Amino acid sequence: MSINIIDPANLVYAKPELMNDADMHYCPGCSHGVVHKLIAEVIDELNIREITIGIAPVGCAVFAYNYLDIDWQEAAHGRAPALATAAKRLNPSKMVFTYQGDGDLAAIGTAETIHAANRGENIAIIFINNGIYGMTGGQMAPTTLPQMKTSTSPNGRDTYETGYPLKILDLLAQLQGVCLATRQSVHTAASVKKAKRMIKLAFENSMANKGTSIVEIVSTCSAGWKMTPAGANDWMVENMFPAYPLGDIKNI
Ligand SMILES: Cc1ncc(C[n+]2csc(CCOP(=O)(O)OP(=O)(O)O)c2C)c(N)n1
């Protein structure tokens, strides 16, 4: 029996309206695509497409503007919070969000991130933490776990030489300008739903001018970790979650 997928009664999933019909460049098992879809769904549901400005990073998500049909600006590596500051201050009625990897946000962009959050910029920050620099070949990042093998720490991260995993969300949560600091994931249906709720809240906070919201998504990079998509999910649960526990650190 053939199913008529045009009939809305048979639809289990509808593509968000603002998602372009573009082929995605993400690797199988990568979390970026799921998070893009959640952002698109939230913007559709809040009906804020015309007032949304996204700031794209340098990193695997550098082409985010190809996939979501909203207004975007492309930032230099790590500078998304500075650009978001300008976009929001010049257009206070807009919903402004950045989309950043851990290399972008917690390495080259640490200063931008901390000072934007400390100023309480009315922006939402979507932070994809996959523990490495994905785009450039899986190098060690400040977020890399101890003993984790990367292309620049082939024998595992040595904390004596390179320090400990930087829990930047915990640092940011302490700042007065931050109204939401939450850590989520997208590896199960339940976690996808929860992550979506927190992205929605972050976007609502930006529109309500409540301060800075940060939604960290603990993510997989199966290509960079050199694992299968399913293996990367298991590895994340076993190794990333103990270091980066899921849940709200601050929600006011
Ligand atoms: C000023 C500058 N320094 C370094 C680079 C090289 N570079 C491009 S992407 C990237 C890392 C991206 O990693 P991350 O932000 O964690 O995102 P992912 O690719 O893992 O999603 C680096 C170091 C650059 N483009 N510009």
Side-chain angles (χ1 to χ4, degrees):
M1 188 189 79
S2 69
I3 296 177
N4 175 7
I5 54 164
I6 307 295
D7 180 350
N10 292 327
L11 258 188
V12 285
Y13 170 71
K15 183 169 79 65
E17 236 178 77
L18 58 82
M19 266 196 124
N20 290 327
D21 267 332
D23 290 341
M24 278 198 169
H25 71 286
Y26 296 118
C27 307
C30 171
S31 308
H32 276 300
V34 180
V35 181
H36 282 19
K37 188 199 74 170
L38 295 185
I39 290 172
E41 285 180 355
V42 167
I43 295 171
D44 271 357
E45 284 168 25
L46 293 173
N47 198 17
I48 54 170
R49 187 177 187 175
E50 297 305 320
I51 62 155
T52 295
I53 301 173
I55 312 292
V58 169
C60 281
V62 68
F63 296 134
Y65 46 75
N66 284 342
Y67 307 133
L68 305 191
D69 189 13
I70 53 174
D71 285 337
W72 284 99
Q73 284 203 312
E74 173 62 56
H77 200 18
R79 302 325 184 232
L83 207 47
T85 297
K88 181 67 178 178
R89 287 197 178 215
L90 291 169
N91 305 279
S93 61
K94 304 275 185 188
M95 195 290 284
V96 178
F97 76 96
T98 70
Y99 185 100
Q100 302 176 257
D102 46 314
D104 195 83
L105 182 142
I108 194 169
T110 311
E112 308 286 341
T113 307
I114 289 180
H115 289 294
N118 193 47
R119 292 191 304 270
E121 299 297 342
N122 295 308
I123 59 173
I125 296 176
I126 310 299
F127 167 35
I128 306 296
N129 178 7
N130 58 20
I132 53 168
Y133 295 169
M135 184 196 208
T136 40
Q139 293 89 351
M140 191 188 76
T143 46
T144 299
L145 302 181
Q147 303 312 320
M148 183 173 169
K149 289 186 177 165
T150 71
S151 59
T152 48
S153 59
N155 299 319
R157 181 178 187 173
D158 175 347
T159 53
Y160 175 74
E161 269 182 11
T162 63
Y164 298 90
L166 182 58
K167 298 176 187 186
I168 197 159
L169 188 75
D170 303 55
L171 295 177
L172 293 169
Q174 296 170 33
L175 304 176
Q176 245 177 293
V178 171
C179 60
L180 174 69
T182 184
R183 192 179 281 123
Q184 303 293 329
S185 72
V186 291
H187 68 302
T188 61
S191 64
V192 167
K193 274 192 183 165
K194 191 139 189 264
K196 181 175 170 181
R197 274 206 301 279
M198 299 322 284
I199 291 171
K200 191 177 255 181
L201 178 60
F203 286 5
E204 286 168 343
N205 286 346
S206 169
M207 287 187 289
N209 294 331
K210 277 185 72 174
T212 308
S213 299
I214 306 118
V215 182
E216 174 176 340
I217 313 276
V218 183
S219 297
T220 53
C221 177
S222 43
W225 295 355
K226 306 203 184 319
M227 295 176 194
T228 61
N233 265 350
D234 293 343
W235 192 87
M236 175 177 70
V237 172
E238 225 171 276
N239 298 280
M240 293 282 277
F241 289 176
Y244 299 108
L246 304 187
D248 294 353
I249 299 177
K250 188 178 195 179
N251 184 356
I252 51 175

